[in-house]
Amino acid sequence: MIKNFDELLEIAKQRPKMRLSVAAAQDEEVLLAVDSARKLGFVDALLVGDKEKIENIAQSLSMDLSQYEIIDVKSLQESAKVAVSLVAKGNADFLMKGLLPTADLLRAVLDKETGLRGSGLLSHVMVYSTQNYHKLLFLTDGGMVTYPDLAQKVQIVNNAVKVAKSLGVSPVKVAPLCAVEVVNPDMQATLDAAYLSKMSQRGQIKDCIIDGPLALDNAISKEAAKHKGIESIVAGDADILLVPNIESGNMLGKSLTYFGNAKSAGIIMGAKCPIVLVSRADTHESKLYSIALGCFAADIK
């Protein structure tokens, strides 16, 4: 099991090289991350976007563009279509968002004729590494699905479990987060958590152990769980934190980053390939980790 991002990069270097398609690649942090990944040896990249802008940024970074194929596309919307088509045609293994709105990229991904629409739900999976937790922590979904119902939560869990398994996590322990750790009929999130737990027990949701509802402290701290008398294989040792809605996921993730100094990576799952997508405010380091994460997720059979 990979326990931190240093291990992630090290193992990525030892795996077969993947091919990455970057939409609207004219972004400094994106190009820094892509070039770092290429130098580490785990990706080759196709840069789709405004060639002149890409060249100007590369010059300021002393980046050798002779190592890349650049496809000159001025329009942001068109760059998304071209980048997606490269994956759809088998010329690239996975996709990365550059300097364009997420909606434009997803519109191209979900195009019924030329896109990468999969059979399931698109959901966002963030992975965090912090000194305050003993292993990588997977957080979903703080970026795509706004207010998931029970059926959507099943798909969100399945997407996150695939990512966790690709990094060698076994067994995958899922904690459906709620404000309390008991089932309350007036709190839908606790009911959903109980349903998910029972579905896991009966094999309706596979390849993971789900136990909840759990409050955040019980999910990540054995001491907190012990104080509240919670006996659970998941409590205090969760791999995946399943949040009840996008606001809680967004705030928890940013709290980990800004208060907890956590390192992070993020991808969208549920399409025919992983989509590397993190915040525009994230550093090239976070984007590098996300590219490495995408390599592992793209190799899921």
Side-chain angles (χ1 to χ4, degrees), residues 30-95:
V30 168
L31 288 176
L32 276 171
V34 169
D35 203 42
S36 295
R38 183 195 62 78
K39 289 176 178 176
L40 287 171
F42 55 84
V43 295
D44 285 324
L46 299 164
L47 305 179
V48 182
D50 189 312
K51 185 176 181 180
E52 183 178 354
K53 291 180 180 179
I54 292 171
E55 289 175 340
N56 289 337
I57 294 170
Q59 185 175 8
S60 71
L61 298 174
S62 299
M63 178 179 167
D64 181 9
L65 285 179
S66 68
Q67 303 296 317
Y68 298 91
E69 180 180 346
I70 302 175
I71 301 171
D72 188 21
V73 181
K74 305 298 184 187
S75 161
L76 296 181
Q77 292 82 2
E78 190 62 26
S79 73
K81 292 179 182 178
V82 173
V84 166
S85 71
L86 290 170
V87 181
K89 293 175 182 176
N91 295 320
D93 299 297
F94 65 116
L95 182 67

Side-chain angles (χ1 to χ4, degrees), residues 124-126 139-145 243 245-251:
H124 199 253
V125 182
M126 286 296 294
L139 176 66
T140 194
D141 176 351
M144 282 292 296
V145 187
V243 295
N245 55 54
I246 197 169
E247 286 97 350
S248 56
N250 182 279
M251 287 184 276

Side-chain angles (χ1 to χ4, degrees), residues 126 128 137-140 142 175 177 215-217 219-220 240-260 262:
M126 286 296 294
Y128 292 91
L137 195 57
F138 299 74
L139 176 66
T140 194
L177 296 185
L216 176 61
D217 55 347
I220 61 172
I240 296 173
L241 302 179
L242 173 68
V243 295
N245 55 54
I246 197 169
E247 286 97 350
S248 56
N250 182 279
M251 287 184 276
L252 176 53
K254 288 179 178 175
S255 295
L256 282 165
T257 298
Y258 289 98
F259 290 138

Side-chain angles (χ1 to χ4, degrees), residues 136-179:
L136 291 175
L137 195 57
F138 299 74
L139 176 66
T140 194
D141 176 351
M144 282 292 296
V145 187
T146 52
Y147 301 103
D149 58 23
L150 178 62
Q152 290 173 317
K153 287 178 181 178
V154 171
Q155 294 186 72
I156 290 169
V157 168
N158 286 334
N159 284 344
V161 167
K162 288 177 182 177
V163 180
K165 286 182 65 182
S166 78
L167 301 190
V169 178
S170 181
V172 181
K173 300 173 184 176
V174 182
L177 296 185
C178 300

Side-chain angles (χ1 to χ4, degrees), residues 73-293:
V73 181
K74 305 298 184 187
S75 161
L76 296 181
Q77 292 82 2
E78 190 62 26
S79 73
K81 292 179 182 178
V82 173
V84 166
S85 71
L86 290 170
V87 181
K89 293 175 182 176
N91 295 320
D93 299 297
F94 65 116
L95 182 67
M96 182 175 186
K97 173 183 175 292
L99 191 64
L100 79 166
T102 300
D104 286 344
L105 183 64
L106 293 181
R107 195 174 296 113
V109 168
L110 295 174
D111 187 285
K112 292 181 179 179
E113 294 183 3
T114 61
L116 298 166
R117 182 187 292 266
S119 58
L121 180 75
L122 294 188
S123 62
H124 199 253
V125 182
M126 286 296 294
V127 185
Y128 292 91
S129 176
T130 171
Q131 293 182 348
N132 299 319
Y133 202 60
H134 56 284
K135 57 183 175 179
L136 291 175
L137 195 57
F138 299 74
L139 176 66
T140 194
D141 176 351
M144 282 292 296
V145 187
T146 52
Y147 301 103
D149 58 23
L150 178 62
Q152 290 173 317
K153 287 178 181 178
V154 171
Q155 294 186 72
I156 290 169
V157 168
N158 286 334
N159 284 344
V161 167
K162 288 177 182 177
V163 180
K165 286 182 65 182
S166 78
L167 301 190
V169 178
S170 181
V172 181
K173 300 173 184 176
V174 182
L177 296 185
C178 300
V180 295
E181 61 280 341
V182 294
V183 176
N184 183 335
D186 294 326
M187 300 174 73
Q188 185 61 45
T190 69
L191 296 175
D192 288 351
Y195 293 142
L196 291 167
S197 300
K198 180 56 69 174
M199 292 170 76
S200 172
Q201 289 176 15
R202 293 188 172 182
Q204 289 176 260
I205 304 174
K206 301 184 182 301
D207 300 324
C208 64
I209 301 167
I210 306 176
D211 193 21
L214 289 173
L216 176 61
D217 55 347
N218 307 320
I220 61 172
S221 168
K222 288 186 178 296
E223 191 65 27
K226 181 179 178 182
H227 277 306
K228 293 193 176 180
I230 298 171
E231 295 183 6
S232 164
I233 191 173
V234 174
D237 195 39
D239 296 296
I240 296 173
L241 302 179
L242 173 68
V243 295
N245 55 54
I246 197 169
E247 286 97 350
S248 56
N250 182 279
M251 287 184 276
L252 176 53
K254 288 179 178 175
S255 295
L256 282 165
T257 298
Y258 289 98
F259 290 138
N261 295 317
K263 297 179 179 181
S264 63
I267 56 175
I268 291 176
M269 295 291 289
K272 291 181 180 178
C273 76
I275 303 166
V276 176
L277 192 152
V278 289
S279 170
R280 283 170 292 179
D282 283 334
T283 64
H284 75 273
E285 181 185 56
S286 179
K287 291 176 171 65
L288 171 62
Y289 298 146
S290 300
I291 293 170
L293 180 63

